[in-house]
Structures are given as C-alpha cells and as structure tokens.
Amino acid sequence: MKPPDSDNKRRHPRFPLQLHVEYQRGTDYVFEWTENLSEGGFFIRTEQAFPQGSALELTLSFPGLLEPVNVEGRVAWIRAPSLSQCGGVGVEVDNEGGRRRLADLALRAADRERGKTCSFSVLIVEDNESIVRSYERVLNHIAQTTEGQVKIHFASNGHSALNELKNHAVDLVITDIYMPIMDGLTLIENIRKQDFTRNLPVIVVTSGTGDERERAAKLGVRAFLRKPVQFSHILQTIVALATANAV
C-alpha cells in the first residue's frame, strides 16, 4: 500500500522522532519505535502484519524525556520491507485529543529545528569502536544546528560505565548487552543498587534472546533497540525532547 498523497504530507510536516511504542492490549513486540511523526499521525517500524484499516491503541514514550502519551489511530498504509528499509505501518489519528497530543510532540521537534537551547546528558556503553564513531559523527552534525548541548559520555564496558556514573551526572543510559569485563545486564543490576542511579532511565541495545529482555525488564527496562540502530534518529529525538523540556 502506498503512503498518503503529497498534499497531505505538506499539511502536516513530518519530524524524525523515534519514540518507543507499546501496545495497550499487550504484545511481545518490544523493539518497536516510531520512525517519524506529524500532527496527523506517525509511522511505526514493525514486523507485525497489521491489516490496513485496523484500529490501534498505543502508548508513545521516551525514557527520561517523554512521559507515556496514549494515542488511538488506524493503519492507513503499509510499507513492505526491502533491502534498503524495514517494513512498517503509517498510523493516522482522527480524534481531536490524539491530534492535540501529536501536535504537541511535533512542536517539540520544531523547537529543536529553530535552535532553542537544550541541556541533556547521556551515557552510551558500547565496546564496538565503529559504532562509537557513528554516534560521534551524528553528534558533530547535530552540534552545528543546536545552540545548547547534549553531552555524551562513552564507556566501553559496564565497569567503566559505573566509574563514569560516579564522576558525571547523566539523564539517560543507552547500553549494549554483550561487552567484556562487565556486561550490560550486570551494569543495570549495579545501577539499580545505587541510591543516586536507582531510577535512572535505561535503553538496552540488543539482538539477543527473549531471556535477556525478560531479565532487563525485571530491572525496570522498558525500551529496547534492535541492532543495527539508527543513531541519527535516536540522537535527534533526544535533542528535540530535551530542547522542549528545557524551555
């Protein structure tokens, strides 16, 4: 199925907000995030086979930056997966309350594009140097268009991450699972044991098993990213939401 016509897209500018998606009726699909969002709806990257026209009740959120937002919509169009992009569904929101919520989120993204000041600190725990360089390239690009700053701290394993947390106050941790010296799950266990980090939001990056996700969920992790991660969308979302929260 094809997306809405170009005139509809122009009426509702789209912003690359990557928000965590939870289905209110319950599902095991924990890796699902929006790809973009507008006042009229949003696109979800998903492997689920939603029929066109089916009704969805969703919660959109981002750990540490956006409290859960409940939205109802319907599947307006379907994108089949290809070699260059994953599949997904375009969700259209018709009710006034849902559109107001989306309009607020779109305004946050627009504020970021206008260059408003923001301040937010993230610890990324990743042992793969090429992935770290990918984060840094995106950060350098974002820094050129943002007056404020999103501070990023890097650690190559869980032990180094704990030292970073002792020396720097951060607002969010994004961690891999498989790392030398101390893995991501052990890191999260230690984070939850410390008074000053017990409630720290954590996003887990993994391509691992359901057992790992279950262990992480028991430690308070609700958001998971499946490898390979779209670094630009995640960091742009952090900047957009941090900008709005700081103003």
Side-chain angles (χ1 to χ4, degrees), residues 7-79:
D7 288 339
N8 187 51
K9 286 187 175 182
R10 282 194 291 270
R11 282 200 301 271
H12 301 297
R14 294 178 180 273
F15 300 96
L17 283 181
Q18 193 159 348
L19 304 178
H20 185 233
V21 176
E22 292 184 271
Y23 298 91
Q24 295 180 19
R25 295 182 180 177
T27 178
D28 291 332
Y29 289 84
V30 296
F31 289 106
E32 302 201 344
W33 296 72
T34 61
E35 184 174 287
N36 56 56
L37 177 146
S38 74
E39 181 180 338
F42 45 89
F43 185 86
I44 303 173
R45 285 184 278 117
T46 179
E47 298 175 355
Q48 299 189 69
F50 289 116
Q52 188 174 13
S54 58
L56 297 178
E57 297 180 8
L58 310 165
T59 299
L60 306 179
S61 63
F62 196 99
L65 281 170
L66 177 66
E67 291 298 316
V69 176
N70 296 327
V71 180
E72 297 178 6
R74 63 177 182 84
V75 176
W77 62 282
I78 299 169
R79 184 177 76 191

Side-chain angles (χ1 to χ4, degrees), residues 159-224:
H159 185 267
S160 297
L162 291 176
N163 288 331
E164 286 289 329
L165 291 173
K166 290 178 182 177
N167 296 319
H168 304 284
V170 305
D171 301 293
L172 173 68
V173 173
I174 302 176
T175 182
D176 194 6
I177 290 289
Y178 298 109
M179 296 177 292
I181 304 177
M182 180 186 292
D183 64 28
L185 291 174
T186 305
L187 166 63
I188 299 169
E189 289 175 350
N190 280 274
I191 287 174
R192 297 299 181 235
K193 290 177 182 177
Q194 304 295 325
D195 290 338
F196 67 100
T197 58
R198 180 168 294 133
N199 297 317
L200 187 63
V202 177
I203 296 176
V204 167
V205 180
T206 181
S207 55
T209 66
D211 290 341
E212 292 170 350
R213 296 197 300 271
E214 184 176 347
R215 282 184 61 194
K218 289 180 179 178
L219 293 168
V221 176
R222 297 179 63 86
F224 299 82

Side-chain angles (χ1 to χ4, degrees), residues 12-20 33-39 41-45 60-62 66 79 102 105-114 138 141-142 145 225 230-242:
H12 301 297
R14 294 178 180 273
F15 300 96
L17 283 181
Q18 193 159 348
L19 304 178
H20 185 233
W33 296 72
T34 61
E35 184 174 287
N36 56 56
L37 177 146
S38 74
E39 181 180 338
F42 45 89
F43 185 86
I44 303 173
R45 285 184 278 117
L60 306 179
S61 63
F62 196 99
L66 177 66
R79 184 177 76 191
L102 293 183
L105 293 174
L107 180 61
R108 296 181 184 214
D111 282 345
R112 181 258 162 180
E113 293 189 352
R114 296 187 191 110
V138 175
H141 174 73
I142 291 176
T145 59
L225 289 169
Q230 291 185 306
F231 307 108
S232 59
H233 284 186
I234 284 293
L235 294 176
Q236 286 170 358
T237 298
I238 289 172
V239 171
L241 296 179

